[in-house]
Amino acid sequence: MSEAVTPLNGARVNGLATIADAGLTGMITLRGDLSSAEVKAAVQKATGLDVPAQRQALSGQGAAALWMSPDELLLICDYDGVAETIATLEEALRGQHFLAVNVSDARTYLHVSGTGAREILAKLCPVDLSPEAFTPGMFRRTRMAQVPAAFWLDEAGTFHLICFRSVADYAFNLLKTAALPGGEVGVYG
Amino acid sequence: MLILTCPCCGVTGEETEFHQGGEAHLTRHGPGASDDEFHTYMFAKENPKGVHFERWRHNNGCGKWFHAARDTMTLEVYGTYPAQTLEPPQEIRDAITAKRPGWTWREFA
Ligand SMILES: [Zn+2]
């Protein structure tokens, strides 16, 4: 058995915001009819969470459910709990048209926190990140400089950001550069 | 800069979040088609100054395809609508008529 590591291997940097590798995290793509009672029951059973509404993120104890598209969720759980969570989904959705796949190692997962978090993301993404426009629980897939990325904001003001594993270095360096002291814009006060 | 609203996920985003996918409402002539039909499908594309219908994909977002009606001269977007339609819906045509009375595009008006 090989030792699983994240692409950034625990990298962390402090600047206008703190950018930190979130560590090994279980991620499951679930595709199916998100409005069906079966999918709702399966997600509830596997994660303890409801199916999130359009462009919303629901978080619970060690789990999150993220709205990726009209027929796709990304479920977050413990890295070691993925097989069990998928088994629960498959059992609950037996006979339904669905797909549940372990994509834990497909992406890199970062935490962006601190007072400059909104601003440094806004430097890189064409999204209105003002406190009035982007509120906790919102989930947004977008472009971060030259790569696709997605993020959601929790109640504590930390952004949870995912992008593909192959661009982990690029994404980390982008955020690091955007967070360099001296680069304050102050657009959000 | 175009501002498009994806009808699949509801995001209103700038052009760089999307990717243009060519002319809308094409009939894909394939095996069994006449040379003329295939030639028209393959090479004869609209290139209007004004009202235009295109396919777009929300490639840095939800990943879905959709249709957009826009003006190539002013970059005004008249509306976006689902990919699963064979012709522009009436409300899109009405929105265009309000701004460009008498418009035509291929077989549509
Ligand atoms: Zn979309």
Side-chain angles (χ1 to χ4, degrees), chain A residues 26-158:
Chain A
M27 298 186 216
I28 299 162
T29 286
L30 176 65
R31 299 196 87 135
D33 177 0
L34 302 187
S35 63
S36 75
E38 289 85 358
V39 167
K40 284 176 185 166
V43 171
Q44 182 62 240
K45 198 168 180 198
T47 65
L49 297 166
D50 290 332
V51 170
Q54 186 183 60
R55 302 200 314 279
Q56 296 292 307
L58 293 174
S59 308
Q61 200 70 278
L66 315 171
W67 193 93
M68 296 288 274
S69 87
D71 56 5
E72 180 182 353
L73 298 181
L74 188 68
L75 304 177
I76 303 278
C77 63
D78 283 344
Y79 189 80
D80 295 328
V82 168
E84 191 187 330
T85 304
I86 289 179
T88 305
L89 289 167
E90 286 181 338
E91 175 64 31
L93 289 169
R94 195 180 300 278
Q96 299 289 312
H97 181 66
F98 77 102
L99 174 144
V101 178
N102 180 359
V103 293
S104 305
D105 298 310
R107 291 188 175 88
T108 189
Y109 178 11
L110 293 162
H111 289 152
V112 183
S113 57
T115 49
R118 285 181 184 274
E119 184 170 298
I120 73 160
L121 277 178
K123 288 181 183 179
L124 302 169
C125 305
V127 178
D128 184 352
L129 283 155
S130 61
E132 304 76 44
F134 201 85
T135 54
M138 281 189 182
F139 179 73
R140 181 67 143 87
R141 295 178 78 177
T142 184
R143 173 182 65 80
M144 187 165 79
Q146 299 190 52
V147 296
F151 50 79
W152 68 104
L153 178 62
D154 69 19
E155 295 291 342
T158 295

Side-chain angles (χ1 to χ4, degrees), chain B residues 26-42:
Chain B
L26 290 177
T27 299
R28 283 168 170 71
H29 292 288
S34 70
D35 284 355
D36 272 356
E37 283 171 335
F38 189 75
H39 176 271
T40 303
Y41 156 58
M42 198 69 191

Side-chain angles (χ1 to χ4, degrees), chain B residues 6-11 18 58 61-64 66:
Chain B
C6 173
C8 304
C9 71
V11 157
F18 301 89
H58 197 182
C62 70
K64 302 296 186 192
F66 61 93

Side-chain angles (χ1 to χ4, degrees), chain B residues 14 19 36-37 40 48 54 70 72 76 78 84 89 91 94-95 105:
Chain B
E14 57 142 288
H19 197 271
D36 272 356
E37 283 171 335
T40 303
E54 291 168 322
R70 69 176 182 100
T72 59
E76 177 177 6
Y78 299 112
Q84 296 76 15
E91 67 266 23
D94 292 345
W105 185 84

